[in-house]
Amino acid sequence: MTELVIKKPNDLHVHLRQGDEMEGYALRSAEHFEHMLVMPNIKPPVASAKALAEYRRKIQDILKRHKSDCKLLMSFKLIPGMGSDTVRECLRAGAVCAKYYPAGSTTNADDGPRHPSEIAEELSELEQAGFVLSVHAEAPDSPEFSKERDFLSVIEYILTRYPNLRIVVEHLSSADAVQAILDWPERVGASITAHHLAYTVEDLVSDGLDSSLYCKPVLKTQKDREALIAAAISGNAKFFFGSDSAPHPAAKKLCLPVPAGTYTAPVRLSLLAEVFEEAKALNRLEFFASTAGALWYNLPASPQAIKLVKEPWRVPETLDGTIPCAHGKFINWQAQ
Ligand code: NCD
Ligand code: ZN
């Protein structure tokens, strides 16, 4: 197959940042996509209805100016002490989910909870309102390769105490977490990124350190990658696409300490097509990228389609002021 037409996909986890850099990131992330779910870990964080509305307006202005019809989905950050009223106001302001970043787990997460008991009132409010809890599922104090596995017990704690809460485990990275998602009830889903499907820790460290691939959760082993691919191509609606495209300026990625985050917006569909083709599952790509996430968030399917064409292109070394994922490499597929 050299061409694939799919309904316009949804990216259910993107970082667009703020300030001057946001325009390039937002346009790149919107391109080819029907919806994008914007993460709230800017500074100060999106943690009130006012901040949410302001952030959305700024992004919408950019999209409008450039005639993009990608629809925005917003999230807000859970911070201990924010209170159930603030949660309700954020939901009323249009958030589709609340994001739980364990303190110290990733970029701009110092203000997150150390334990879910610190946001008990806020989680109850979310549960009652029927909204989604989106979780960065890593235990900050565990060894790097066990962080995700060690956080599974925290998710179980939340599942037990909030029996109606719907939860998304973001950016799955390990075989253990894939198995947990399969074992847990229907109300637990998971996003999977293109880079965790395409790469392992070997790509990060083995042929000269490639800091553009340094992200949280860190890329893991081939066994983990295979479990993620099996989940993504399975047609199980619990698993859907969220790129976690997380740009940092090139100068920061070339300076110590290197911040976590890989900028995949320019290559995410190409990487997905390569992975699904290699797994002989190109016919499942539409379900993973366009349908499953829409079902989870109750979004209308896109009336439009995009075409993926099997034509090699070389990813630039720098793009939008960053070093993109797969920089300098040839990739086989392009989105049109
Ligand atoms: C993200 C970022 O840079 O905001 N970084 C990352 O490595 N994925 C935050 C996140 O989603 O963990
Ligand atoms: Zn993220």
Side-chain angles (χ1 to χ4, degrees):
M1 205 192 288
T2 54
E3 269 189 23
L4 180 68
V5 176
I6 60 169
K7 279 197 281 270
K8 257 188 163 183
N10 302 302
D11 189 336
L12 294 161
H13 186 136
V14 294
H15 298 270
L16 303 185
R17 312 307 191 198
Q18 60 204 120
D20 292 344
E21 290 145 359
M22 183 163 76
E23 178 153 340
Y25 303 157
L27 293 175
R28 192 77 61 183
S29 304
E31 199 180 2
H32 306 299
F33 277 74
E34 178 71 13
H35 295 95
M36 58 178 170
L37 172 46
V38 184
M39 289 294 136
N41 63 332
I42 55 173
K43 276 190 155 173
V46 180
S48 68
K50 185 162 171 275
L52 188 149
E54 268 170 29
Y55 193 37
R56 178 174 47 207
R57 189 185 44 74
K58 284 186 187 150
I59 305 165
Q60 254 162 1
D61 284 351
I62 294 171
L63 298 183
K64 214 166 150 196
R65 217 170 333 116
H66 293 268
K67 302 192 173 23
S68 164
D69 58 3
C70 179
K71 282 123 201 131
L72 283 179
L73 305 169
M74 303 302 290
S75 63
F76 66 97
K77 195 174 184 185
L78 289 167
I79 296 176
M82 76 192 297
S84 51
D85 287 351
T86 305
V87 170
R88 209 172 312 122
E89 285 158 19
C90 288
L91 297 176
R92 234 182 267 139
V96 299
C97 68
K99 186 72 192 271
Y100 175 174
Y101 289 104
S105 59
T106 187
T107 308
N108 298 346
D110 293 343
D111 51 2
R114 284 175 309 245
H115 188 267
S117 58
E118 294 178 9
I119 47 167
E121 180 190 323
E122 291 79 4
L123 293 178
S124 284
E125 184 61 39
L126 267 185
E127 181 186 34
Q128 274 163 38
F131 281 84
V132 170
L133 175 69
S134 151
V135 187
H136 183 109
E138 289 197 289
D141 297 333
S142 289
E144 198 59 39
F145 260 49
S146 316
K147 282 182 158 65
E148 191 171 80
R149 190 181 57 223
D150 291 354
F151 201 80
L152 298 177
S153 59
V154 181
I155 308 253
E156 281 180 351
Y157 170 99
I158 300 173
L159 283 172
T160 310
R161 276 175 183 67
Y162 306 91
N164 296 310
L165 186 59
R166 299 178 70 225
I167 300 177
V168 176
V169 178
E170 300 288 348
H171 38 55
L172 280 197
S173 70
S174 63
D176 290 321
V178 170
Q179 190 54 51
I181 299 293
L182 290 169
D183 293 343
W184 284 334
E186 288 309 304
R187 65 191 171 99
V188 190
S191 65
I192 303 181
T193 76
H195 51 285
H196 288 100
L197 291 171
Y199 300 116
T200 70
V201 67
E202 304 301 326
D203 297 288
L204 171 67
V205 299
S206 293
D207 190 16
L209 183 70
D210 182 353
S211 68
S212 74
L213 280 179
Y214 170 60
C215 62
K216 298 282 185 176
V218 79
L219 293 163
K220 302 210 166 49
T221 66
Q222 180 62 13
K223 177 175 153 279
D224 294 305
R225 178 176 169 241
E226 281 165 14
L228 293 167
I229 294 173
I233 68 172
S234 67
N236 183 336
K238 284 184 147 199
F239 300 102
F240 50 82
F241 181 55
S243 71
D244 193 18
S245 177
H248 293 277
K252 290 206 172 146
K253 286 301 250 182
L254 296 173
C255 196
L256 300 179
V258 175
T262 184
Y263 187 39
T264 53
V267 296
R268 64 202 146 154
L269 285 169
S270 309
L271 292 181
L272 285 182
E274 280 199 341
V275 167
F276 276 67
E277 182 184 35
E278 200 190 317
K280 301 196 174 18
L282 270 178
N283 60 337
R284 296 281 175 86
L285 181 56
E286 182 180 61
F287 186 80
F288 176 67
S290 313
T291 306
L295 291 173
W296 175 270
Y297 280 105
N298 205 13
L299 307 169
S302 176
Q304 295 176 52
I306 57 160
K307 195 195 278 181
L308 299 167
V309 183
K310 192 170 178 184
E311 263 172 33
W313 62 291
R314 188 168 180 273
V315 182
E317 287 292 350
T318 57
L319 202 58
D320 305 328
T322 73
I323 306 171
C325 178
H327 60 97
K329 295 205 176 95
F330 280 92
I331 316 193
N332 277 330
W333 288 83
Q334 9 187 325
Q336 289 184 346

